[in-house]
Amino acid sequence: MKRRKFLGAGAVMAASISMMPSRLFAAWCEKCFSPCPIDNAFINTLGTRDFVQTDKITIVAPQVASDSSLVPVEIISSIKAERLYLFVEKNISPLVFQCTLYGSAEPYVSLNVKLKESSLVYAVLKEGSRYYRASVHINVLAQAC
């Protein structure tokens, strides 16, 4: 009787991934996620520090976070944007999230972020050649390890 060899889940996943076209994987931008001050993070990621302050971006986050390892943040906007970025001013690597929006979507994103300490959180949207920004300050009571 012939024995069948079963592949583990990891082997099946690796085999499946190796068959996917490389363009499905996002390119890693090392300088975008490198440790630097917030102004450098804007330059490294966006190529500019020139933003239009707007009230068309709403950041929903707690004013006070009791635990900095799990801070819920929602970004809501009526701007039909191409890209969305989230920066945390005092994190070692300020860029914490970026995504591409297709079909001129009006963004709604909900995620949990880790804050190093009390800080400004910036949501930046790219529409055409313009960048729009809103910010909110979050106070941290207990820092995560």
Side-chain angles (χ1 to χ4, degrees):
M1 180 175 218
K2 191 174 184 181
R3 296 182 103 181
R4 292 185 181 187
K5 188 175 183 181
F6 291 98
L7 297 175
V12 171
M13 172 94 73
S16 299
I17 289 173
S18 68
M19 291 186 279
M20 291 182 178
S22 62
R23 68 176 184 246
L24 291 179
F25 297 103
W28 179 256
C29 178
E30 189 169 336
K31 72 176 183 176
C32 296
F33 291 97
S34 65
C36 62
I38 189 71
D39 285 338
N40 291 359
F42 290 144
I43 295 292
N44 291 343
T45 306
L46 310 172
T48 186
R49 287 184 299 196
D50 295 328
F51 305 103
V52 176
Q53 285 293 123
T54 183
D55 59 352
K56 293 183 180 182
I57 301 171
T58 303
I59 302 172
V60 179
Q63 288 182 340
V64 177
S66 58
D67 179 8
S68 70
S69 67
L70 190 65
V71 181
V73 177
E74 293 180 27
I75 303 163
I76 306 161
S77 178
S78 60
I79 299 172
K80 294 186 178 187
E82 303 160 16
R83 302 274 301 166
L84 169 65
Y85 305 88
L86 186 67
F87 295 88
V88 177
E89 179 182 36
K90 293 187 181 173
N91 276 10
I92 294 170
S93 176
L95 178 63
V96 295
F97 177 77
Q98 68 177 348
C99 70
T100 301
L101 305 167
Y102 294 98
S104 296
E106 289 182 4
Y108 170 80
V109 176
S110 178
L111 63 151
N112 293 319
V113 298
K114 184 175 182 178
L115 275 65
K116 180 182 172 211
E117 59 187 271
S118 297
S119 181
L120 279 170
V121 174
Y122 298 96
V124 178
L125 290 172
K126 180 183 182 201
E127 178 191 42
S129 62
R130 298 185 80 179
Y131 290 95
Y132 297 90
R133 181 175 80 176
S135 62
V136 64
H137 191 272
I138 300 174
N139 289 311
V140 171
L141 296 181
Q143 291 182 343
C145 297

